[in-house]
Amino acid sequence: MVLVTDPSLPIPGTERKQPPNASRVGPADPDEPIMVSVQVRRKANTGLTNLARLGAKRPRDRQQADRAAQLQEQAADKAELELVEQFAKAHGLKKSGFVPPRTLQLSGTARQMNEAFGTQLIKYERPHVGPYRSREGHLRVPRHVAGVVERVSGLTTHPLARPLLRQRPRDAASYLPTQIAQMYDFPGAADGAGVSIGIIELGGGYGQQDLDTFFQALGLQAPNVVAVSVDGAANNFGMDSGADTEGTLDIQVAGAVAPEATITVYFAPNTEQGFIDAVNTAVFDTQNRPSVLSTSWGAAEDAAWAPAGLNGLNAGFTSAATAAVSTLAAAGDSGSNDNVNDGLAHCDFPASDPYVIACGGTTLQGDGGQPKTEAVWNDCFGEDTGGGISRVFALPSWQTGAGVPPNVNDHTTYGRGLPDVAGDADPNTGYDVVGRNGWMVVGGYQCRCPALRRPLCPDHRPGRLPARLHHALALLPRPQRRGLRHRHGRQHRTPGARLHRRRGLGCMQRARQDRRSPTACRSLTQHNEPLRSSR
């Protein structure tokens, strides 16, 4: 029998503080309906796939991923799931859903949530954000479920991430996505046939008329787009122009460079809960089975995320890597401060996650379908490539020999370096797309992520995409190098696969298909320039 009076303990990593400019309005409505996602720990005595060992193998030598097997590997113990359900029932909460591999969704009122998790939900208001519901301090649960519950998401409705997007009117200094693909020499045979591309969207939607106009102009048939609802969100086109541009652009760029692929868009609320549930839904989606997943939404890893939420999303990306789902994320578009503006360098998450391919940005000038010059995207006005050294994630084994420098904040701490790869993201050399108001030019990392999906699907078969591009790159013997000129005129060449803090291991130039390993890039640009902040 469950005792409601069982002494409570804090859930590690759930402590939350409100921003200095947040104003407290008053207690949340006690009768307000709320749905939370409760992550239960993984069952004991289950051997996890050794990703470091798997990543050291060539893609052709890796065992084919099986989603069903990975679901069992990452699942919770049934008895512990039942224990959490009994705890919920004792507080009047009802089970309303389940998100694989081990997240229970519980519904109840604000009053019941306060009692169950030992907190007090408050209404706040913040400039440029508006009203939202949140809390302060740790969440607490009874001793008999402490350690079983790893995360509770959904009590806070503060917007978590922002779309990394820059746009301007159309002019001559822009390119169609197919022209970008030509300049980067994407494999012609990699049209995405038989592959499902997953896109995470935390707001907005897309209009079919805009898609039809765009693809007709390119002489292509509009791709098959599947919309998946997560936590009640849906294709909500017409309510948020910025988020609409984000979603429409993602589909148009991905569909242009991989025209035969199916595009599955996972719409979720812009919250910690929505982001994590969307990733887990996509990774374990047995119907659409995306083998490439990307998102252009993000926020500073050490300024916007509660540790438990960050760990929850990291668990989702670990599941993706284990299931051979390649995940790409934008590295940021506000320089090394990542829109925090506190005088320190910050990395954007989820790009800083070790199991995500972080996409950086360049300024690309082309002539007649050929790349002419390419430089670091750095406008020095707050619009430039993000990246740096993570303050949250340790230096991963696959970056040990990549020459990752210490964090610029203290010059002593080493961590995961990003970005991993880079390509055109400057809005001054941006992408021609069709939005709500017609043709426009868009830059930022929401362009880079969908464009990179094509070189990740060159062999036409689902499940053959590289689970970890990082490891594939480390296996490249003597990659061809092309010096990349900085705006100030310096050009550098360095031996080996060394990580550059603005462009990672290199740009997408000539990502050719390897005859022996269909999923390996055989030519990358190598660079070694110091990180420069736009501030």
Side-chain angles (χ1 to χ4, degrees):
M1 180 176 180
V2 177
L3 297 177
V4 179
T5 57
D6 192 8
S8 65
L9 294 175
I11 304 174
T14 60
E15 184 178 11
R16 188 174 293 277
K17 298 179 180 179
Q18 296 306 311
N21 62 350
S23 300
R24 179 169 175 153
V25 177
D29 180 355
D31 296 321
E32 179 183 1
I34 297 176
M35 187 272 285
V36 296
S37 297
V38 179
Q39 180 177 303
V40 178
R41 68 184 176 187
R42 186 175 58 86
K43 58 187 175 184
N45 302 321
T46 299
L48 289 174
T49 299
N50 189 319
L51 293 176
R53 185 181 304 168
L54 184 64
K57 298 180 180 180
R58 291 183 179 273
R60 64 178 180 178
D61 297 329
R62 298 171 189 170
Q63 186 177 359
Q64 186 78 6
D66 183 280
R67 268 184 168 85
Q70 298 307 323
L71 181 59
Q72 290 300 314
E73 179 181 292
Q74 300 289 335
D77 185 276
K78 290 184 179 180
E80 293 190 336
L81 287 173
E82 291 176 357
L83 181 66
V84 176
E85 288 185 42
Q86 291 172 10
F87 153 74
K89 185 177 181 180
H91 288 278
L93 305 179
K94 297 181 180 179
K95 179 182 176 181
S96 55
F98 181 79
V99 178
R102 55 183 189 273
T103 299
L104 287 170
Q105 292 186 321
L106 306 176
S107 297
T109 65
R111 179 188 293 107
Q112 292 168 328
M113 295 294 175
N114 286 338
E115 295 173 352
F117 298 109
T119 189
Q120 182 65 42
L121 296 177
I122 302 295
K123 289 183 178 180
Y124 296 91
E125 191 162 350
R126 190 180 175 197
H128 309 296
V129 174
Y132 64 95
R133 184 188 68 234
S134 192
R135 58 178 180 81
E136 294 190 6
H138 281 93
L139 296 177
R140 304 179 69 90
V141 291
R143 185 182 298 274
H144 70 280
V145 294
V148 175
V149 174
E150 296 181 328
R151 170 181 59 87
V152 179
S153 299
L155 298 175
T156 296
T157 61
H158 189 289
L160 177 65
R162 62 187 180 90
L164 304 174
L165 144 131
R166 310 285 181 175
Q167 65 184 77
R168 61 180 177 79
R170 194 183 191 192
D171 60 25
S174 59
Y175 312 99
L176 291 168
T178 48
Q179 293 174 312
I180 295 286
Q182 180 182 357
M183 284 191 280
Y184 282 129
D185 197 13
F186 282 1
D191 59 5
V195 170
S196 175
I197 294 173
I199 301 174
I200 303 294
E201 298 292 354
L202 303 182
Y206 61 88
Q208 189 61 47
Q209 183 176 351
D210 294 339
L211 300 184
D212 292 340
T213 300
F214 175 80
F215 287 103
Q216 286 175 6
L218 269 62
L220 298 172
Q221 184 174 350
N224 177 29
V225 181
V226 179
V228 176
S229 174
V230 178
D231 294 347
N235 178 13
N236 196 16
F237 182 72
M239 298 299 292
D240 184 333
S241 60
D244 287 347
T245 299
E246 177 76 61
T248 302
L249 168 82
D250 283 345
I251 295 171
Q252 291 178 8
V253 175
V257 300
E260 296 299 321
T262 295
I263 298 175
T264 306
V265 186
Y266 298 88
F267 288 102
N270 185 10
T271 60
E272 174 187 284
Q273 177 187 31
F275 210 155
I276 298 173
D277 287 351
V279 170
N280 283 322
T281 298
V283 171
F284 294 103
D285 185 348
T286 56
Q287 180 175 351
N288 298 294
R289 302 181 63 84
S291 47
V292 185
L293 182 65
S294 80
T295 181
S296 299
W297 296 72
E301 61 178 9
D302 51 357
W305 293 82
L310 188 144
N311 291 336
L313 197 53
N314 169 257
F317 294 132
T318 303
S319 297
T322 306
V325 177
S326 299
T327 306
L328 304 98
D333 60 2
S334 298
S336 60
N337 72 75
D338 201 28
N339 207 42
V340 178
N341 302 316
D342 62 355
L344 299 175
H346 298 269
C347 290
D348 204 83
F349 183 78
S352 64
D353 191 281
Y355 297 110
V356 170
I357 300 170
C359 304
T362 65
T363 300
L364 176 66
Q365 298 287 350
D367 184 11
Q370 296 299 318
K372 186 178 180 181
T373 63
E374 192 164 21
V376 177
W377 175 32
N378 185 1
D379 288 342
C380 299
F381 296 104
E383 294 186 5
D384 56 355
T385 184
I389 308 302
S390 174
R391 300 168 68 182
V392 174
F393 295 100
L395 184 71
S397 60
W398 46 264
Q399 284 189 332
T400 301
V404 178
N407 191 293
V408 297
N409 293 327
D410 58 17
H411 303 285
T412 59
T413 304
Y414 287 84
R416 187 269 203 266
L418 61 146
D420 298 300
V421 291
D424 183 35
D426 187 343
N428 294 309
T429 60
Y431 294 61
D432 292 318
V433 296
V434 177
R436 291 168 58 182
N437 297 317
W439 286 92
M440 59 183 171
V441 177
V442 182
Y445 293 101
Q446 79 292 352
C447 300
R448 186 55 32 233
C449 293
L452 256 171
R453 297 178 193 127
R454 176 169 166 184
L456 289 178
C457 50
D459 69 345
H460 307 266
R461 287 171 291 176
R464 291 297 304 276
L465 307 180
R468 289 150 298 281
L469 179 62
H470 324 100
H471 300 289
L473 297 176
L475 296 171
L476 302 185
R478 298 181 181 178
Q480 299 178 10
R481 303 176 187 83
R482 177 174 59 85
L484 190 60
R485 187 171 298 277
H486 189 268
R487 288 174 185 262
H488 298 295
R490 291 186 297 276
Q491 187 170 350
H492 302 270
R493 297 171 187 270
T494 58
R498 297 182 63 81
L499 188 82
H500 178 269
R501 278 187 285 182
R502 285 299 183 108
R503 293 177 300 273
L505 287 169
C507 72
M508 298 189 298
Q509 180 75 7
R510 303 187 183 282
R512 294 198 184 100
Q513 182 175 346
D514 179 12
R515 294 177 182 274
R516 294 173 299 166
S517 178
T519 55
C521 297
R522 307 301 290 180
S523 178
L524 292 168
T525 305
Q526 306 297 325
H527 327 287
N528 185 25
E529 293 178 15
L531 176 68
R532 290 178 172 82
S533 173
S534 64
R535 300 298 180 191

